[in-house]
Amino acid sequence: MTATLTEFHPLTESVQPVFDTVLARSPHEPEFQQAVHEVLATIAPALDQHPEYIEAGILDRLVEPERQIMFRVPWMDDADKLQVNRGYRIQFSSVLGPYKGGLRFHPSVNLSIIKFLGFEQIFKNALTGQGIGGAKGGSDFDPHGRSDAEVMRFCQSFMGELYRHLGEHTDVPAGDIGVGGREIGYLFGMYRKITNRHESGMFTGKGTGWGGAEVRTEATGYGAVFFAQEMLAVHNDSLAGKRVGVSGSGNVAIYAIQKACQLGATAVTASDSSGYVVDDAGIDLDLLRQIKEVERARIVEYANRRASARFIEGGSVWDVPVDIAVPSATQNEVSAADAEALIANGVRAVSEGANMPCVPEAVAAFQRAGVLFAPGKAANAGGVATSALEMSQNASRQRWNFGDSENKLREIMSDIHNASFQAAEKYGVPGDYVAGANIAGFQRVATAMLAQGAI
């Protein structure tokens, strides 16, 4: 991992010792190493102009979480057999506000993945300008195929430990992969019972009937498309008439497809772990939602019910020719070979809907080819930005309508784009949104850390 990362993004002498410490302390955490390396490699121009960041040990503190929580989650399945999973909450930085970040329930979850997600969340949340810190959590529990009663019992056991580390002024979780409205309801209900407080602002992504915000469900997918729209606009282009490729079939993918279509594009793909579908007539969103959100079935069912669609088992969704790609499934899903296939087929822009879905080699290939590339910490910040809006509504006992909430989201995504674009220009890497987003987010965090002292 280290050799590959260094090959594409060499580190300067000022940050190499920080990364060496990460390797020594976290030797078996490749995803976390990858996330840290990308940030350290791209913020060098800002460090050159602000040596006080190095002198104050900002980087040494940022790469070490403020608190790491791991715990056992025992629960009973429907056969009355005891099951045991592992729970996590990594609270990385609270310098800008209470910890904020989602919970992920998936068999792949481990310490490295939660730490990478939490580290990314620091800068993503800073970019929103909403006054929220960075954290992430989850479990290796797999809700797929489990009954509602089993999911409820797991969530209640999980919250039975985690509740003591949460609160609207301390740590505010949300959903992520495997944690949707059902899971959030069970988690919040257990928190309310244990604490004897209806503390609406301590959990976001709630149902709109009991404290949730309009557009929160749609926000990450919408935001990734809004960011792509902003990048294209810089070059006097738009989404109108474009073919869009989307991976995944969860919330992010579904609402990226919806917003792309509303802006005049045609979304032609969706996927899950079994394979992908191609629908040249445009993905039928109602059918996709029925299959994935209601029936919780595999993506092949879409092709079985849609004459214009075909299902490809396995393979890569990125072999399909598209103008715009929105990877929205999971980390490191876009390989170097996938990137080369997209480039060969004429892709114009890539906007990361998931967290770090492109491997470093893929990012380097896109940038060499002149493809507009939006990193996840900027492009998928719409979800957490809208979570912060939900917190604001809960605190003031207000409720905004869908149109107002979407307009606020669009404004925030435009601000994130502009901050990333301008930072890249200022520090001599014009058009590099990876560097621009990292620098803009880092400087907001570093400035607050300097002001608050060595804590």
Side-chain angles (χ1 to χ4, degrees):
M1 170 70 74
T2 306
T4 300
L5 290 173
T6 304
E7 177 184 353
F8 289 95
H9 299 286
L11 297 179
T12 63
E13 290 184 7
S14 62
V15 301
Q16 185 65 53
V18 178
F19 189 64
D20 290 342
T21 299
V22 170
L23 292 178
R25 287 178 173 168
S26 308
H28 306 298
E29 299 173 9
E31 293 87 359
F32 177 53
Q33 294 171 16
Q34 180 182 341
V36 171
H37 195 287
E38 182 208 79
V39 171
L40 295 180
T42 53
I43 63 174
L47 297 175
D48 290 342
Q49 293 190 28
H50 297 278
E52 65 271 23
Y53 296 154
I54 297 292
E55 295 166 5
I58 297 296
L59 296 174
D60 303 271
R61 286 184 276 164
L62 270 180
V63 300
E64 188 66 22
E66 292 177 4
R67 188 175 294 106
Q68 302 186 61
I69 303 153
M70 294 176 57
F71 52 97
R72 180 178 64 203
V73 188
W75 58 281
M76 301 297 292
D77 66 18
D78 286 344
D80 289 330
K81 181 179 178 180
L82 180 71
Q83 303 288 339
V84 178
N85 288 94
R86 179 175 286 179
Y88 303 87
R89 188 65 175 174
I90 308 298
Q91 297 172 331
F92 248 101
S93 174
S94 58
V95 70
L96 293 179
Y99 303 109
K100 187 80 189 79
L103 297 172
R104 175 176 294 192
F105 292 169
H106 192 272
S108 67
V109 164
N110 57 36
L111 183 59
S112 177
I113 287 175
I114 296 300
K115 284 178 69 175
F116 123 65
L117 291 168
F119 185 73
E120 291 272 294
Q121 206 78 40
I122 301 171
F123 310 102
K124 179 190 302 184
N125 293 2
L127 281 169
T128 71
Q130 299 290 295
I132 44 179
K136 205 74 177 184
S139 173
D140 56 1
F141 170 73
D142 186 1
H144 185 263
R146 293 292 182 181
S147 69
D148 288 348
E150 288 176 320
V151 172
M152 181 182 69
R153 289 192 290 271
F154 171 82
C155 288
Q156 290 174 342
S157 180
F158 183 87
M159 188 54 73
E161 171 59 33
L162 187 60
Y163 84 93
R164 66 190 80 241
H165 306 288
L166 305 180
E168 62 183 357
H169 301 297
T170 304
D171 187 346
V172 182
D176 194 80
I177 294 172
V179 179
R182 173 183 62 172
E183 289 76 16
I184 288 171
Y186 294 148
L187 290 164
F188 180 79
M190 190 61 174
Y191 179 87
R192 182 176 58 79
K193 178 178 176 62
I194 293 172
T195 63
N196 194 32
R197 295 194 303 269
H198 193 109
E199 194 178 336
S200 295
M202 63 67 55
F203 220 112
T204 59
K206 303 181 294 297
T208 55
W210 45 280
E214 298 283 357
V215 188
R216 176 59 190 91
T217 302
E218 298 86 353
T220 307
Y222 277 19
V225 174
F226 286 149
F227 200 98
Q229 183 184 40
E230 293 285 338
M231 290 195 301
L232 291 169
V234 170
H235 299 273
N236 298 313
D237 202 354
S238 72
L239 284 161
K242 301 291 193 299
R243 276 172 59 95
V244 176
V246 178
S247 63
S249 49
N251 266 4
V252 181
I254 285 172
Y255 294 106
I257 289 169
Q258 183 182 71
K259 184 51 61 178
C261 293
Q262 289 175 357
L263 294 175
T266 301
V268 295
T269 65
S271 68
D272 62 19
S273 59
S274 66
Y276 64 95
V277 293
V278 183
D279 189 344
D280 291 319
I283 294 293
D284 182 326
L285 194 64
D286 290 338
L287 176 58
L288 182 63
R289 292 183 63 182
Q290 171 66 27
I291 290 168
K292 301 305 292 188
E293 295 184 338
V294 179
E295 300 174 19
R296 302 181 188 273
R298 309 307 288 171
I299 199 72
V300 65
E301 284 301 312
Y302 180 93
N304 290 341
R305 304 180 200 178
R306 176 85 163 162
S308 58
R310 61 188 186 278
F311 171 72
I312 294 85
E313 184 175 2
S316 173
V317 68
W318 307 118
D319 291 335
V320 180
V322 293
D323 303 303
I324 312 294
V326 186
S328 304
T330 191
Q331 68 273 357
N332 291 329
E333 62 169 290
V334 182
S335 68
D338 293 331
E340 295 296 347
L342 282 164
I343 292 165
N345 285 326
V347 72
R348 177 80 175 102
V350 177
S351 185
E352 291 190 322
N355 291 294
M356 203 170 72
C358 299
V359 302
E361 300 93 328
V363 177
F366 290 134
Q367 292 180 326
R368 284 196 304 268
V371 174
L372 299 173
F373 180 79
K377 63 171 59 69
N380 74 21
V384 74
T386 307
S387 282
L389 297 179
E390 182 174 332
M391 292 165 64
S392 297
Q393 292 175 75
N394 292 157
S396 62
R397 298 292 192 267
Q398 294 182 2
R399 183 175 178 181
W400 305 330
N401 63 36
F402 192 97
D404 288 340
S405 297
E406 183 177 354
N407 287 336
K408 291 178 187 294
L409 170 62
R410 190 190 298 267
E411 290 171 5
I412 291 170
M413 295 311 299
S414 178
D415 289 343
I416 293 172
H417 171 271
N418 292 339
S420 302
F421 182 85
Q422 290 165 11
E425 293 274 336
K426 178 179 178 180
Y427 288 98
V429 283
D432 186 340
Y433 287 97
V434 177
N438 284 336
I439 291 171
F442 168 73
Q443 286 201 289
R444 291 178 182 177
V445 174
T447 301
M449 291 178 72
L450 284 174
Q452 295 177 30
I455 57 173

